[in-house]
């Protein structure tokens, strides 16, 4: 074999060796390959989302009673039994109940408010109304508004789920008491009287009945 042919065979062998080495290191490309997928930022990566739960004081409670007080603990227990309960919504309802009950009582319309009163409170109110009728007294009453409303106490019985909330009202009203001759014996139609009351409302939490009952009154 002459020298030129031998040289060509050696060069061909070297070329084949280099091609095989490159294929083993770089791999091969066949057809159209998909472009590389860009790396997603950490905050966009797919995967199970972890919910961050922030715990803190319940302002619906601590905006109305001191934090860590017995009343605050009682309110928290009420919310665990009835998660739809809101202290602020209750107080707004209590404001309306105060006006309705007081107005009906002064006008002698006891049947209108009987469903919202405990038996003891109803009997006490009805006795006053009956005494006025016996004395032939006429009451002219106008409810002006509530200038102060504050939750003063809360109690919860975990055995029965009975809740009691005591609210202080400062009501503003005009009241005139006339005898059977029409003479004014008490009050004034123009002078606004301020009356302070503490009423206690009760309800069994976790039931379908949302209504509270007036169970006690005081000043």
């Amino acid at each position: 074999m002459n020298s030129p042919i031998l040289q060509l065979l050696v060069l061909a062998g070297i070329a084949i060796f280099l091609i095989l080495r490159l294929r083993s290191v770089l791999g091969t490309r066949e057809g159209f390959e998909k472009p590389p997928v860009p790396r997603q930022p950490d905050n966009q990566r797919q995967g199970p989302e972890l919910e961050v739960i922030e715990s803190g004081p319940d302002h619906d409670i601590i905006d109305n009673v001191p934090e860590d007080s017995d009343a605050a603990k009682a309110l928290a227990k009420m919310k665990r039994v009835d998660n739809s309960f809101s202290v602020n919504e209750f107080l707004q309802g209590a404001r309306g109940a105060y006006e309705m009950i007081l107005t009906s009582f002064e006008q002698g319309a006891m049947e209108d408010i009987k469903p919202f009163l405990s038996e003891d409170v109803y009997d006490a109110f009805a006795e006053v109304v009956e005494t006025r009728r016996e004395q032939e007294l006429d009451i002219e009453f106008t409810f002006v508004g509530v200038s102060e409303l504050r939750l003063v106490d809360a109690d919860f019985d975990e055995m029965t789920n009975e809740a009691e909330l005591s609210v202080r009202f400062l009501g503003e009203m005009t009241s005139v008491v006339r005898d059977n001759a029409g003479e004014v014996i008490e009050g004034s139609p123009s002078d606004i009287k301020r009356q302070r009351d503490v009423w206690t409302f009760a309800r069994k939490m976790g039931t379908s009945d949302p209504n509270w009952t007036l169970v006690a009154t005081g000043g």
Side-chain angles (χ1 to χ4, degrees):
M1 183 177 296
N2 57 24
S3 178
I5 295 176
L6 180 61
Q7 290 178 354
L8 288 173
L9 290 175
V10 171
L11 291 174
I14 292 173
I16 293 172
F17 173 77
L18 292 175
I19 291 172
L20 292 175
R21 286 291 296 170
L22 288 173
R23 286 170 62 91
S24 66
V25 173
L26 301 178
T28 61
R29 293 190 174 217
E30 298 179 359
F32 294 99
E33 295 187 358
K34 295 180 180 180
V37 178
R39 180 184 178 187
Q40 291 182 334
D42 291 341
N43 60 355
Q44 296 181 2
R45 291 184 183 177
Q46 294 181 348
E49 295 183 359
L50 299 179
E51 182 180 0
V52 178
I53 301 176
E54 296 182 0
S55 60
D58 186 341
H59 285 277
D60 184 52
I61 293 177
I62 65 172
D63 287 350
N64 293 290
V65 295
E67 189 174 4
D68 296 327
S69 64
D70 290 340
K73 294 174 184 176
L75 292 171
K77 292 175 183 177
M78 294 178 200
K79 289 195 167 197
R80 282 196 288 269
V81 173
D82 187 346
N83 57 18
S84 66
F85 170 63
S86 164
V87 181
N88 289 321
E89 289 180 4
F90 163 80
L91 290 174
Q92 291 304 311
R95 181 190 295 270
Y98 180 71
E99 176 180 356
M100 178 190 68
I101 293 173
L102 200 58
T103 301
S104 296
F105 163 67
E106 294 291 352
Q107 294 175 348
M110 291 301 300
E111 290 304 313
D112 293 345
I113 56 176
K114 187 174 183 179
F116 308 103
L117 309 180
S118 69
E119 185 176 349
D120 290 343
V121 172
Y122 176 84
D123 290 344
F125 281 13
E127 183 178 354
V128 174
V129 171
E130 184 60 30
T131 298
R132 290 173 177 173
R133 287 175 180 166
E134 291 176 352
Q135 297 176 355
E136 298 182 351
L137 300 178
D138 182 52
I139 311 298
E140 297 175 6
F141 178 84
T142 301
F143 188 87
V144 177
V146 176
S147 59
E148 178 187 335
L149 182 146
R150 187 167 68 88
L151 183 65
V152 294
D153 199 10
D155 185 65
F156 184 68
D157 188 334
E158 295 182 84
M159 298 296 294
T160 64
N161 287 343
E162 288 284 345
E164 288 192 356
L165 299 178
S166 297
V167 182
R168 175 177 290 124
F169 303 92
L170 182 59
E172 297 183 349
M173 60 209 71
T174 62
S175 178
V176 179
V177 180
R178 299 179 185 272
D179 61 17
N180 57 2
E183 296 294 329
V184 176
I185 61 175
E186 183 182 331
S188 166
S190 59
D191 294 340
I192 295 178
K193 178 179 69 173
R194 288 174 174 81
Q195 177 174 308
R196 192 178 299 275
D197 292 297
V198 176
W199 285 10
T200 300
F201 298 87
R203 175 184 171 232
K204 188 169 184 177
M205 307 300 288
T207 65
S208 58
D209 185 1
N211 293 321
W212 293 78
T213 301
L214 179 60
V215 297
T217 61

